[in-house]
Structure formats: C-alpha cells, structure tokens
Amino acid sequence: MATINAETIARVAEEAFEASQLTSSSERVNALHAIRSELESRREAILTANKEDLQAAQAEVDAGRMSKSLLARLDLGRGDKWNSMLQGVLDVAALPDPTGTVSYATELDDQLELYKVSCPIGVLLVIFEARPEVVVNIAALAIKSGNAAILKGGKESNRTAKLLSDAIQAGLAKTSLPRTYIQTIETRAEVSSLLAMDQYIDLVIPRGSKELVKNIQHNTRIPVMGHADGLCSIYLDETADVEKAKRVIVDAKIDYPSACNAVETLIVHESLLNTVWPEVARALLAANVELLCDESTLKVLSSLQNPPQNLSRLVKSSEPSTYDIEHLSLTLSVIALPSLETAIKFINQHGSGHTDAIITESESAASTFCRGVDSASTFVNASTRFADGFRYGYGTEVGISTGRIHARGPVGLEGLVIYKYMMRSKNKVGHTVGEFGTGKKSYKHQRIETSSVPF
C-alpha cells in the first residue's frame, strides 16, 4: 500500500464506500464471520509477528526511546487479548444493524411523509498507537455500520498490523464487499496527506497519546473524534465502605495501568484520613503502587504503626502539577478534600472528562456526583476500568470520545452512524411548497409510529 499515493487511497476508499451502500446487513455479517475465520486460521503467524514487534519495541524501551506503557499495549498475546479480539468480531456481528433505523417520522400532509433515518458517516481515517488489535476492532465496527476505513497504526506494530490487515482483506474477498473497504497505511507522510483530503474523508479518529491527538486536531479540517487524556479520578466519599473501596481502587489502578481508563487520581474525604485511607493505602502498597500524596494524606502514612516495608520507597510528596498527569503506570496521585462539592470542582478542573467514580454508601452523594462531574462516564462503587465498549456491550469500540458533539464515551456502532432525511409523496401529482402558507394548506405534522422506512 505504501507505493500507492495517499490521494488514490482516499479516493478508492470513497469509491468502496459508495459501492457498498446497497449491501445487505446479512452480507456484512457474513463478512465479519469470514474475517474472524481468517484471523483464527492465521493465529500462529500473527502472534509470531507480534513477538517480533515486541522484541524490537523492548530494544526501544531499553534505549529510552519508548515508554513501558506503550510496550504493554503492543502485546497481542497478553492474557485473553487475542480471544477477546476474536469474540469482539462475533459480538459486533450479532448486534442489531445500526443503519436504516427511523428515529422520527411525520406526515406533513396527506400522502406526504418525512423520515429521519440512521446511515453511515462515510470514510473513516483511524490513527492509533501500539495496540494492533485496534485494526480488527475498527474494521469490525466499520463493516457492520457501513463505513469504509483507512487505518494507520504505530510503526512499533507494523508487522502485526500488516498480517491482521491481510486477514481482513482475505475475508472481505469472500464477500461482495470490496477488498479496499478496509485499507491500512504505514507512513506518517501518508497520514499528513490524508489529513488534507476532506473531499474524500469524513471523520478522523485518533487513538493514542495526548501529543498524537492534539497534533491531528491542529492539522486537519476534517472533523476529529477522540480524547487527548485519560485522567480518571476516584473520590472516597465520607460514607465509603473500606472493603469496597480497597477492591475498586486497587482494580482501577493495577488491572491495566497503561490503559486510558485506569485511575490516576484518588481524592479522599478529610473525615476518612485516619480510618479508610490508611487501609486503602496499605492495599495499594501491597500491589506496589507508588503514591504521590499531598500534605494531609502523606502525614497520615508517615505516622503509621507497623508500616509496609515498601512505604519509604513508594510514598512521596506530590507537586501541584501531579494532579494534571496521566501516569499510565503503577503511580497514583492522592489528595484530601473537605467535601463532595470540592471533589467535584477538583475533578472538573483537573480531569479530562473521560471516566470518574465515587465510592459511597449515600444515594444522595452518588446522585450529586454523577450529575455534577462533567465526564463521559460517571460510576458509583465500580472500577473506572469498566469504561470500555466491549464491557458496555458494544462488541468492541472505535475509541472513547470526551467531546460533546455526536458521540461521547466508548464509541460503538451508534457513534459511527449519522442520519439523513427521506421524504416521499404518494400524491398522484407530487407535492410542492407553494401549496402551503397563509390562505392555503397548513402542515399536519402527524406523528408516524414506525422503526423502519416503508419504501
């Protein structure tokens, strides 16, 4: 693909999108099953390529040119990541077709009907770092939702992404969808060129570092959907249960520290400084989490009786800038605040609008927190790690959006469709606007109850 110029890639993607618009939902499902079969049959080769990518990336980490968090995201063989990726394809295939759904229908006049109908966005340009499974996640969502996609992964995952892309195109070749419906590119030069092609590309979705997202936002006229940071917080309310707090906070920090939905800041109600906080801190230190503490929380830990052996090594003073950092590692910023209201204000000031949680036994506090925190996801007594398209039941996700236009939070199929209006006159002579007005006809605006367009 690198030998084809960027304009050709974009134009071919648009042609593939236009050619696919009459493709049935069942054929898209067939394509996803074919892709899943191709991936499974090529598993050994793909994971071997992934190991080669990991070895090369480890050398970059050792040389100080790559972060450990980026390396962690690269491993396709980690835990159940491979099986989850394949299951995600099947889950997306099983979801209802997001296109062709009527959300509003009205009869403007006798035999004149208007329908608001969901439809694909068009051509997506998705740029991401490290995580090779994103190739499959995006491809599945794009195919199911009727969008063509151009994908650019980080150079650190080129070997893996190439074989994943080959499997996807092999699956598409067994259906009526064009092979070029999902394309991959490899160079930054291609990305720079594609970002200027708003005549072909309809939406850019960056997934990666703050620097990546900001760079793309500042260098394109094409709409951008995504998030720059995952600065997630958990607030320990004054009614927090200690065992619940330990379970949820430790999970939110250590389950996958380099993920954008891992907790980065813990806010402790001042009334808990000598009760719940020491127990939570011990649980975190037992998991080797570094704690960057403000004066109040640090003072409590400094005077603990029978302190953990690693306390002096892992507990440190915070700086004002600490609470604006996405650590992406086993590091947690900690601060004590006097009330729920100050905690909400702190999160809205320092957070990134991604996901925040409260640990509380108070229904009132839970309600206030969820409505007062201006984030895409707000949780009660649950780990921030739940903020994920797969866990939300979307099959997988194209990314997480912290924006306020079109899509917010984990973006699944519904975030990859927009809508169009369809009007039909059944009058023998058609309808004209000139028929309506003062002294003429009036619009009926009679609601039509339907979920699909009848023509």
Side-chain angles (χ1 to χ4, degrees):
M1 191 63 69
T3 60
I4 304 175
N5 68 51
E7 183 172 6
T8 299
I9 294 170
R11 178 172 47 77
V12 166
E14 183 187 48
E15 291 170 353
F17 168 70
E18 292 176 351
S20 73
Q21 289 311 287
L22 297 180
T23 300
S24 68
S25 176
S26 61
E27 183 68 351
R28 296 184 186 281
V29 170
N30 290 340
L32 292 177
H33 283 280
I35 288 169
R36 195 264 181 205
S37 295
E38 287 292 336
L39 288 167
E40 184 57 45
S41 69
R42 302 175 187 217
R43 179 178 184 275
E44 186 175 345
I46 293 170
L47 291 181
T48 297
N50 186 239
K51 288 180 180 177
E52 293 173 359
D53 282 334
L54 282 168
Q55 290 171 358
Q58 184 63 60
E60 293 295 299
V61 171
D62 294 343
R65 294 188 292 267
M66 182 186 294
S67 68
K68 290 182 179 180
S69 62
L70 200 62
L71 174 66
R73 296 180 182 188
L74 181 60
D75 189 357
L76 192 57
R78 176 184 182 269
D80 64 349
K81 189 181 282 191
W82 173 266
N83 290 333
S84 293
M85 180 184 75
L86 295 187
Q87 185 60 44
V89 176
L90 297 182
D91 290 345
V92 170
L95 290 171
D97 184 358
T99 65
T101 300
V102 173
S103 57
Y104 172 80
T106 187
E107 188 177 34
L108 303 181
D109 186 32
D110 292 340
Q111 299 185 309
L112 181 61
E113 302 163 347
L114 176 68
Y115 299 88
K116 183 180 180 181
V117 190
S118 61
C119 62
I121 291 172
V123 177
L124 313 177
L125 172 59
V126 186
I127 305 161
F128 55 95
E129 294 175 334
R131 293 176 178 164
E133 71 272 17
V134 172
V135 173
V136 177
N137 296 345
I138 305 298
L141 289 169
I143 291 166
K144 180 73 177 186
S145 60
N147 295 286
I150 303 168
L151 311 179
K152 166 66 172 75
K155 64 180 181 179
E156 62 278 352
S157 62
N158 273 349
R159 297 175 184 86
T160 313
K162 173 67 168 60
L163 294 191
L164 291 172
S165 178
D166 289 347
I168 291 166
Q169 293 200 329
L172 287 172
K174 296 178 178 179
T175 73
S176 63
L177 287 168
R179 287 178 62 99
T180 51
Y181 201 66
I182 305 294
Q183 300 179 79
T184 57
I185 56 176
E186 296 183 358
T187 70
R188 290 183 179 180
E190 289 169 320
V191 171
S192 297
S193 297
L194 289 170
L195 289 175
M197 295 182 186
D198 53 341
Q199 71 271 39
Y200 298 121
I201 298 170
D202 300 288
L203 180 67
V204 181
I205 305 174
R207 290 186 60 170
S209 67
K210 177 179 181 178
E211 292 73 23
L212 170 71
V213 176
K214 291 295 185 184
N215 180 64
I216 289 170
Q217 289 173 332
H218 295 156
N219 286 284
T220 186
R221 297 187 300 270
I222 305 168
V224 177
M225 181 170 68
H227 72 280
D229 286 305
L231 258 171
C232 304
S233 299
I234 293 180
Y235 169 59
L236 269 177
D237 179 55
E238 59 186 322
T239 66
D241 175 81
V242 63
E243 293 303 320
K244 193 177 293 183
K246 289 192 293 185
R247 272 174 46 83
V248 172
I249 295 167
V250 170
D251 177 86
K253 183 70 262 186
I254 75 169
D255 180 69
Y256 194 176
S258 61
C260 63
N261 55 12
V263 66
E264 303 290 13
T265 299
L266 175 62
I267 303 170
V268 181
H269 190 282
E270 288 179 351
S271 67
L272 305 181
L273 280 172
N274 295 303
T275 54
V276 175
W277 163 234
E279 295 303 309
V280 170
R282 286 182 185 276
L284 288 164
L285 291 171
N288 288 311
V289 176
E290 180 183 47
L291 303 176
L292 305 181
C293 300
D294 73 335
E295 183 177 355
S296 297
T297 55
L298 181 63
K299 181 180 179 180
V300 171
L301 298 187
S302 300
S303 59
L304 281 180
Q305 293 192 1
N306 301 315
Q309 291 185 346
N310 58 0
L311 187 145
S312 60
R313 176 172 58 88
L314 292 180
V315 176
K316 303 173 183 176
S317 296
S318 64
E319 301 290 338
S321 61
T322 298
Y323 305 101
D324 298 313
I325 297 173
E326 184 182 17
H327 301 294
L328 299 173
S329 62
L330 286 175
T331 299
L332 183 65
S333 306
V334 187
I335 189 171
L337 293 175
S339 66
L340 171 60
E341 290 69 29
T342 55
I344 291 173
K345 184 176 181 180
F346 184 90
I347 292 171
N348 287 339
Q349 179 181 351
H350 295 275
S352 62
H354 190 298
T355 301
D356 301 286
I358 182 174
I359 309 298
T360 184
E361 296 303 303
S362 165
E363 289 289 331
S364 174
S367 177
T368 299
F369 182 89
C370 286
R371 287 158 178 77
V373 172
D374 185 19
S375 294
S377 295
T378 50
F379 298 163
V380 179
N381 297 328
S383 169
T384 56
R385 288 280 292 128
F386 280 108
D388 173 83
F390 177 79
R391 298 183 179 106
Y392 279 15
Y394 297 162
T396 183
E397 67 183 27
V398 72
I400 292 181
S401 173
T402 54
R404 289 167 174 78
I405 298 176
H406 180 63
R408 197 178 190 196
V411 180
L413 291 174
E414 86 296 331
L416 294 181
V417 295
I418 189 64
Y419 54 83
K420 65 195 300 183
Y421 290 94
M422 299 182 184
M423 184 181 289
R424 177 176 68 166
S425 171
K426 296 187 285 187
N427 191 299
K428 290 190 296 184
V429 294
H431 274 83
T432 63
V433 168
E435 300 172 51
F436 300 87
T438 304
K440 302 178 184 179
K441 286 184 180 181
S442 297
Y443 291 104
K444 290 176 62 175
H445 291 146
Q446 181 70 42
R447 190 67 182 262
I448 300 171
E449 298 298 331
T450 184
S451 59
S452 60
V453 179
F455 61 91

